[in-house]
Amino acid sequence: MATNAAATTHASNDILVVDDIVKSFNTADGSLTAVDHVSLSVKQGEFMAVIGPSGCGKSTLFNVIGGLVDGYEGNVTVGGERVNGPHPSIGMVFQEESTFPWRTVTDNVAFPLEIAGMDKAQRYERARHFIALVGLDGFENRYPAELSGGMRQRVAIARTLASEPKILLMDEPFGALDEQTRLLLGDKVLQIQHQLKQTCLLITHNITEAVQLADRVLVMTYRPGKVKRIVDINLPRPRSSEIVSSEAFGRYVAQIWSDLREEASRGMRDEEQQRAGAHS
Amino acid sequence: MNAAATTRKFSEQRFLPFTLGFGALVAFFVAVEVLIRIGVISRYIVPLPTQIFAAFERVIVEEEILSRFRVTFVEAAIAGGMISVVGISLGILLYRFDLLRRATETWVAAMASAPTVLMYPLFLVIFGRSMWTIIMMGFVAGLPAVILKTLEGLSGTRRVLINVGRSFNLTPSQQFTKILLPAALPTIFVGLRLGLIFMLINIVGVEFLINFGGLGQLINDLAERYDLPGTYATIFFVVLVSVCFFIFTEKVERWLRPGT
Ligand SMILES: Nc1ncnc2c1ncn2[C@@H]1O[C@H](COP(=O)(O)OP(=O)(O)OP(=O)(O)O)[C@@H](O)[C@H]1O
Ligand SMILES: [Mg+2]
């Protein structure tokens, strides 16, 4: 893999470096800055969470890192190589439901392998491995319409894992699920991350989820989305969802909530004002 | 769930709607029969259902309806094939080239609602009094629906599915065959079914108008002889053509896109 020598100012074990990203959109009422000078770096094997109130630019950041949008300022580098379009080392799990309804679970999970040209028997075997990893054995021949929302999201995760990305980038993968399912799927993700030594960047608006999973949590401000603070989570690993009831866990949650509350209430005020403006 | 249980469940699921639909049809015929017999409906306008059934043997033996059925069926199959190939291709073309789409979408939609059957003299001049006039009239009638629905299906593909493809670095042609086309397929098939309906109406209508070819011509003949039971019996065969095409499209759709 070619490396770009110019972008190696960061420590060599930073596999993902996001450097001073600014992304604006042209909207009906002028330019809107969604992501404002955001920088972060993720080390090999690290689990980082990005948290922020709704509408703060998290998905925009996700799309920038994933190479799905252009027209932004700043740089994203993976292993020192500048991201210019979707990077093969990055696997994305999307916020919206993204399984292919016309493919069975196996064919969904085997999709990236099919694209890579792997023969059928081999890719089905690989797919079965990842299906088991997310705990969906027995559902190989089901279609997404026959699965619950949480199961579909696990199919999407398995599909991305099957492409064996160096970096797993997830945008609120459990956003639409209830709290219990979310905690249990969090355990699943931790197990997988532990097993595969996967580097993860998780985008979320859920504090519990961020603290439960991450080594570091980056708190974003409400629009325009800036980095407010980065919190190190020094909880022992391997973790399970039981940790949620520990005292240390509670302290981290409280700390992040106090940062986030300011931003979230700013966001709500902003929206109320906008509504009031629209009505007058 | 084992295979036998699955098939049993399927046949049960199909049995009830089928009986219900068939029962409703029988009830309808019985009602018409009664209404005619008590004089509410004039028997000079609508023949007795029992007479229509009696006429089946006659149209089959004397009017060679089976070979006429074949003529109409072949015309419809050729026109239907052309509609599918040309309509889907043009829909894809309009999707790919936005300028083309914005330039033509409105008048394709206008064409969809135009009574193209009235253009038959023009087609007569071009293709003569031949099968091709009939096929081309059917083709023109069915085409716009397929173009529009193909376009609609492709542009309606959910953004996130396209992004999944991009995140896996699909080539444009993989993006098209693996994501856009299967995602659009249900909508394309709605277009195909609509197109086939318009096509069949036009085919039989033109056969009737130019008194040439298959079932439409026979209807023309029988109507002129004022053989109403025969006319209605023939109409039944027209319905049969359309049923064949419906079953066929449904099978193809299931095969191309399982899971829905
Ligand atoms: N394509 C776009 N065009 C214009 N504005 C956009 C576009 N995409 C996002 N925005 C705006 O950018 C801001 C950030 O959006 P984004 O989707 O990144 O938020 P988010 O943090 O992911 O929110 P949520 O938690 O609700 O998913 C929002 O104000 C949104 O309206
Ligand atoms: Mg989002």
Side-chain angles (χ1 to χ4, degrees):
Chain A
M1 199 179 291
T3 49
N4 185 346
T8 47
T9 46
H10 296 265
S12 59
N13 60 349
D14 283 347
I15 182 170
L16 172 69
V17 177
V18 173
D19 189 22
D20 211 23
I21 296 292
V22 181
K23 169 71 191 168
S24 311
F25 292 107
N26 290 320
T27 63
D29 20 63
S31 169
L32 181 144
T33 305
V35 176
D36 195 13
H37 297 286
V38 168
S39 300
L40 62 91
S41 56
V42 186
K43 284 194 271 295
Q44 171 74 51
E46 187 184 25
F47 200 126
M48 183 159 191
V50 173
I51 193 166
S54 184
C56 76
K58 299 186 297 294
S59 294
T60 307
L61 183 65
F62 169 84
N63 286 328
V64 166
I65 297 173
L68 295 181
V69 290
D70 39 32
Y72 58 88
E73 289 169 34
N75 273 319
V76 177
T77 53
V78 173
E81 194 181 342
R82 195 172 167 204
V83 165
N84 186 7
H87 194 281
S89 299
I90 296 180
M92 305 175 81
V93 179
F94 293 84
Q95 183 171 8
E96 303 95 334
E97 219 281 278
S98 68
T99 53
F100 299 125
W102 57 89
R103 284 173 173 256
T104 60
V105 169
T106 306
D107 279 322
N108 259 289
V109 175
F111 182 75
L113 308 172
E114 181 182 324
I115 296 303
M118 192 183 278
D119 69 64
K120 199 166 178 165
Q122 212 181 345
R123 67 173 188 255
Y124 275 19
E125 199 187 311
R126 292 296 297 151
R128 263 197 296 280
H129 167 74
F130 288 102
I131 291 168
L133 206 61
V134 297
L136 282 179
D137 4 19
F139 294 94
E140 286 87 351
N141 297 321
R142 298 284 189 93
Y143 286 95
E146 303 167 314
L147 303 177
S148 75
M151 290 159 97
R152 281 200 284 256
Q153 208 49 278
R154 278 187 272 168
V155 173
I157 292 173
R159 181 179 61 192
T160 303
L161 287 175
S163 69
E164 302 193 42
K166 292 213 180 73
I167 302 163
L168 183 61
L169 187 58
M170 295 180 279
D171 187 7
E172 303 193 25
F174 315 128
L177 305 179
D178 60 86
E179 194 63 26
Q180 302 89 286
T181 316
R182 187 207 298 270
L183 282 170
L184 294 176
L185 283 185
D187 278 348
K188 204 95 232 165
V189 166
L190 279 182
Q191 272 169 28
I192 292 167
Q193 194 237 356
H194 187 70
Q195 229 173 310
L196 305 179
K197 312 253 177 298
Q198 184 81 57
T199 307
C200 292
L201 183 61
L202 169 78
I203 286 172
T204 178
H205 56 217
N206 185 295
I207 305 176
T208 319
E209 184 175 284
V211 179
Q212 180 197 356
L213 302 179
D215 299 307
R216 283 190 298 154
V217 177
L218 184 152
V219 184
M220 274 178 89
T221 63
Y222 180 70
R223 239 167 18 210
K226 295 191 210 266
V227 179
K228 182 166 179 123
R229 191 194 301 276
I230 294 183
V231 181
D232 285 303
I233 309 291
N234 292 312
L235 293 172
R237 284 194 187 270
R239 294 177 198 162
S240 83
S241 51
E242 279 154 32
I243 205 167
V244 171
S245 53
S246 76
E247 198 190 325
F249 192 93
R251 270 203 305 278
Y252 283 120
V253 170
Q255 183 189 347
I256 293 173
W257 171 231
S258 75
D259 278 340
L260 215 50
R261 188 172 53 191
E262 250 173 73
E263 299 306 324
S265 43
R266 212 150 63 75
M268 280 179 70
R269 267 205 308 281
D270 204 48
E271 271 163 22
E272 273 159 21
Q273 259 163 23
Q274 255 175 24
R275 261 199 304 277
H279 285 311
S280 64
Chain B
M1 202 186 308
N2 63 40
T6 319
T7 43
R8 196 173 330 121
K9 208 175 119 207
F10 267 126
S11 56
E12 268 166 27
Q13 277 170 351
R14 279 186 179 182
F15 184 68
L16 190 62
F18 178 79
T19 334
L20 213 61
F22 193 72
L25 204 63
V26 171
F28 173 75
F29 284 131
V30 170
V32 172
E33 181 92 21
V34 170
L35 288 176
I36 294 172
R37 284 189 187 273
I38 61 176
V40 177
I41 301 175
S42 160
R43 64 174 70 201
Y44 298 107
I45 298 171
V46 182
L48 286 164
T50 42
Q51 281 181 330
I52 297 174
F53 290 122
F56 271 99
E57 195 195 335
R58 191 156 46 79
V59 292
I60 290 171
V61 177
E62 290 170 23
E63 310 294 345
E64 294 180 330
I65 200 161
L66 294 181
S67 73
R68 289 178 180 268
F69 176 85
R70 206 177 57 228
V71 170
T72 300
F73 188 90
V74 168
E75 288 164 354
I78 295 174
M82 286 165 54
I83 286 171
S84 314
V85 173
V86 178
I88 294 173
S89 311
L90 286 179
I92 292 169
L93 207 68
L94 293 199
Y95 173 75
R96 282 285 287 107
F97 301 101
D98 198 53
L99 178 64
L100 209 59
R101 171 190 189 153
R102 281 183 293 166
T104 58
E105 196 175 357
T106 323
W107 60 258
V108 175
M111 203 174 125
S113 55
T116 41
V117 71
L118 299 180
M119 297 196 328
Y120 78 92
L122 174 67
F123 282 71
L124 266 180
V125 171
I126 300 173
F127 297 101
R129 197 159 159 270
S130 75
M131 199 168 112
W132 282 100
T133 294
I134 297 165
I135 291 172
M136 292 312 286
M137 289 290 308
F139 171 68
V140 170
L143 193 63
V146 180
I147 297 177
L148 291 175
K149 281 285 165 186
T150 303
L151 181 56
E152 183 189 316
L154 290 170
S155 0
T157 305
R158 284 167 53 221
R159 179 97 239 144
V160 67
L161 296 186
I162 294 172
N163 279 341
V164 169
R166 290 178 60 203
S167 79
F168 286 129
N169 283 292
L170 264 60
T171 63
S173 75
Q174 285 172 328
Q175 185 77 266
F176 187 76
T177 54
K178 304 266 179 197
I179 294 178
L180 281 166
L181 212 50
L185 217 60
T187 316
I188 294 178
F189 269 84
V190 171
L192 275 177
R193 286 196 197 97
L194 278 175
L196 291 178
I197 292 171
F198 295 148
M199 170 199 85
L200 198 64
I201 293 173
N202 256 26
I203 284 181
V204 176
V206 173
E207 284 178 344
F208 181 93
L209 284 171
I210 68 175
N211 200 14
F212 183 86
L215 295 168
Q217 184 193 22
L218 181 58
I219 293 174
N220 190 337
D221 279 358
L222 294 170
E224 238 147 59
R225 279 187 254 148
Y226 219 75
D227 179 354
L228 283 185
T231 308
Y232 279 79
T234 311
I235 289 172
F236 171 84
F237 281 88
V238 176
V239 174
L240 197 64
V241 178
S242 113
V243 168
C244 291
F245 279 83
F246 256 78
I247 293 173
F248 177 70
T249 53
E250 217 161 72
K251 287 252 186 296
V252 174
E253 186 180 4
R254 286 256 172 76
W255 174 67
L256 284 176
R257 197 190 134 140
T260 27

